[in-house]
Amino acid sequence: MIIRPIKSEGLAHLSYLIGDGSKAAVIDPRRDCSCYLEMARAAGMEITHIFETHRNEDLISGAPILAGLTGARVLHGPNPARPVQYAQTARDGDCFAIGGDLTITAMETPGHTDDHLAYVIHDKGYPDGAVGVFTGDALFVGDVGRTDFYPERAEEVAGLLFDSLGKLLALGDQAIVYPAHGAGSVCGSGMASREFSTIGHERRNSPKLKITDRDAFIAAKLAETHYIPPYFATMERLNVEGADAMPRVTAPGVLNLADLDQLAPDWMIDIRSVTAFAGAHLPNALAIPVSMIPAFAGWFLDEDSRLILIADDMAQAQEAAVHLGRIGFDQILGTVTNMVGLAAKGRSFQSLPLVDAKTVSQRLDQRPEEWVLLDVRAQDEVEAEPMDGAEHIYIGHLRERFRSLDVTRHYTLMCASGARATVAAGWLQAHGFTKLDIFLGSMGAWKAFVAGSAS
């Protein structure tokens, strides 16, 4: 038996190739799915089954695309919000043979979504219990799935997840846990950096699994704060209808000054570092550093947005294009890679001042009438480490809530490090705010400053 994880960086999505003998299956494939076929062929295996743990919200499924390449059956759970057009239904207890010794058994585990399945691995050579389980978004390493997708049924679905986790725990401490996401995913906030575990380790160490009372578990889940980016609705639709394959060529072409003047993008996305963006960027460009695209592009872009990338080099642009393609943004018109060259040809640019903790401290002491310290961290971060004197708007909510801000006031943007603050500042600047600066280092710098002042 082989089990090979495939990680999609940025999304922190984990999919798997599992096989025995000449047969293989894929669990939760991503949209750019040729890698599974290549890995299977290199191992002398044919992909016969594709298993989806649930309707993904944060990325496009590659199941229908991979099925078209291989002829494999696609299996999906019961009770989806809409019938999954490219899949057959697997139900609790359905068993699938993969090769001579490997079997995969479906286990209904609703809670995160109504259609959620786990897939239990058995090996005939080890008959005493499950070898492992693909837990999807029900159980992660160090955390459990979010249950906020059905707000009108909040208590019910939290209880369903509790029951589903009980079924997973009953597999035995020896079973290896293979989740659908690792640390950094928007599907959970408490995941460990390790990407596999065991039922026994999670039983003993996962905070939510230590809650053994069903009502207490439900209360804990209801107290969580999660965010739902607008692009999740697009992912849900595409993962019912079946999405097209990624563009065959993901590297966007290089644009010159004439191209830039002739094209009419909806947005220019500056994917360079936050300090590069702050130093000089094209007017009305949005700052979304390449590593932040999976988490934040879907908050600010529409499904049909026509984009130009501003990058350090073409390798960075291609990485960004892959990230964007995995969440459905394919209309990339090209890439600009030479900000200095554009400036030398007379192209205008903007910048954003950076301020340090000492400056912020002075402003908090003096309280200038027109100044606002705007904290764009998530609600749980603000509750854990509040910043006295700051107003709070989560970064993803700025797309709508910026309209409630006074464009004549002076805003200093902060987050945990300054990265999200730069994204927020770029959005505000593109919408006419001129009195802006970024608290570089943000909460990390503030804690260091306070500690230094106290010593």
Side-chain angles (χ1 to χ4, degrees):
M1 181 195 298
I2 65 164
I3 300 179
R4 295 182 181 170
I6 297 92
K7 184 174 183 179
S8 299
E9 298 292 346
L11 288 166
H13 168 246
L14 294 167
S15 54
Y16 301 88
L17 177 75
I18 179 170
D20 179 59
S22 63
K23 305 299 181 183
V26 176
I27 317 294
D28 288 330
R30 66 194 187 194
R31 186 185 182 196
D32 47 324
C33 57
S34 60
C35 60
Y36 309 104
L37 185 56
E38 291 167 358
M39 292 172 66
R41 287 179 175 174
M45 293 179 171
E46 174 193 6
I47 296 173
T48 58
H49 295 75
I50 301 165
F51 297 104
E52 291 193 310
T53 56
H54 64 297
R55 179 211 64 209
N56 275 289
E57 301 84 15
D58 61 322
L59 78 159
I60 295 175
S61 170
I65 304 160
L66 187 59
L69 294 172
T70 62
R73 295 174 64 191
V74 180
L75 284 307
H76 194 97
N79 308 312
R82 293 166 52 198
V84 179
Q85 296 177 17
Y86 54 83
Q88 302 171 28
T89 299
R91 299 183 181 276
D92 202 74
D94 287 352
C95 189
F96 305 89
I98 311 294
D101 293 327
L102 170 64
T103 59
I104 294 177
T105 304
M107 175 187 286
E108 293 183 23
T109 48
H112 175 67
T113 60
D114 286 339
D115 58 349
H116 199 285
L117 291 176
Y119 295 100
V120 185
I121 310 165
H122 288 93
D123 187 326
K124 291 180 181 178
Y126 299 88
D128 294 336
V131 173
V133 56
F134 298 104
T135 55
D137 282 19
L139 176 62
F140 302 119
V141 179
D143 200 2
V144 302
R146 55 190 287 186
T147 56
D148 60 307
F149 293 125
Y150 309 92
E152 71 285 356
R153 299 166 49 211
E155 292 188 20
E156 176 196 353
V157 295
L160 287 174
L161 183 63
F162 180 87
D163 299 337
S164 295
L165 292 170
K167 293 173 70 173
L168 291 169
L169 292 176
L171 292 173
D173 287 356
Q174 82 292 337
I176 301 173
V177 173
Y178 298 100
H181 289 286
S185 167
V186 297
C187 293
S189 58
M191 300 181 202
S193 57
R194 292 177 294 105
E195 294 169 1
F196 68 93
S197 186
T198 64
I199 291 291
H201 184 88
E202 294 307 299
R203 187 198 308 274
R204 292 187 295 271
N205 295 285
S206 182
K208 289 295 192 299
L209 292 184
K210 291 182 179 181
I211 304 175
T212 56
D213 178 79
R214 194 174 191 270
D215 290 339
F217 179 89
I218 292 172
K221 294 302 291 180
L222 295 183
E224 293 178 348
T225 300
H226 295 284
Y227 297 102
I228 301 179
Y231 88 99
F232 273 22
T234 303
M235 300 299 96
E236 292 171 3
R237 174 176 57 79
L238 292 175
N239 290 338
V240 166
E241 299 171 356
D244 295 332
M246 291 264 279
R248 291 181 63 86
V249 178
T250 56
V254 178
L255 301 178
N256 57 36
L257 185 57
D259 296 326
L260 198 59
D261 289 334
Q262 292 172 6
L263 295 171
D266 295 298
W267 290 109
M268 291 182 289
I269 309 299
D270 196 318
I271 63 173
R272 300 172 301 153
S273 70
V274 295
T275 51
F277 179 85
H281 57 267
L282 293 175
N284 300 320
L286 301 184
I288 311 180
V290 63
S291 63
M292 299 175 70
I293 286 173
F296 296 107
W299 282 104
F300 298 105
L301 306 179
D302 295 317
E303 181 180 357
D304 58 354
S305 292
R306 288 159 47 88
L307 310 175
I308 286 176
L309 304 181
I310 314 298
D312 287 324
D313 52 44
M314 291 306 297
Q316 189 182 60
Q318 183 164 8
E319 180 183 356
V322 170
H323 285 320
L324 288 165
R326 287 173 180 165
I327 55 177
F329 300 106
D330 292 339
Q331 296 195 56
I332 303 174
L333 306 180
T335 306
V336 174
T337 59
N338 189 352
M339 276 293 299
V340 173
L342 289 178
K345 293 179 180 179
R347 190 80 181 195
S348 62
F349 61 89
Q350 295 177 315
S351 60
L352 281 165
L354 305 174
V355 297
D356 59 14
K358 182 178 179 180
T359 300
V360 172
S361 177
Q362 291 171 345
R363 290 176 181 174
L364 287 171
D365 289 340
Q366 297 166 4
R367 299 284 177 169
E369 184 178 349
E370 297 300 318
W371 177 73
V372 178
L373 179 60
L374 186 59
D375 188 342
V376 298
R377 292 178 296 161
Q379 183 64 39
D380 57 351
E381 295 175 274
V382 173
E383 292 174 355
E385 294 181 318
M387 183 70 176
D388 292 339
E391 293 185 15
H392 175 238
I393 298 178
Y394 175 62
I395 179 176
H397 293 166
L398 270 180
R399 177 171 180 166
E400 300 300 330
R401 292 188 58 188
F402 83 90
R403 295 179 176 86
S404 67
L405 302 177
D406 185 346
V407 73
T408 68
R409 301 189 78 179
H410 174 191
Y411 291 93
T412 295
L413 283 297
M414 69 161 288
C415 57
S417 66
R420 285 172 291 176
T422 305
V423 176
W427 175 262
L428 293 177
Q429 190 178 53
H431 288 83
F433 289 74
T434 58
K435 300 175 183 178
L436 299 166
D437 46 40
I438 300 162
F439 181 8
L440 189 62
S442 286
M443 201 63 197
W446 183 254
K447 290 189 291 185
F449 175 78
V450 171
S453 299
S455 60

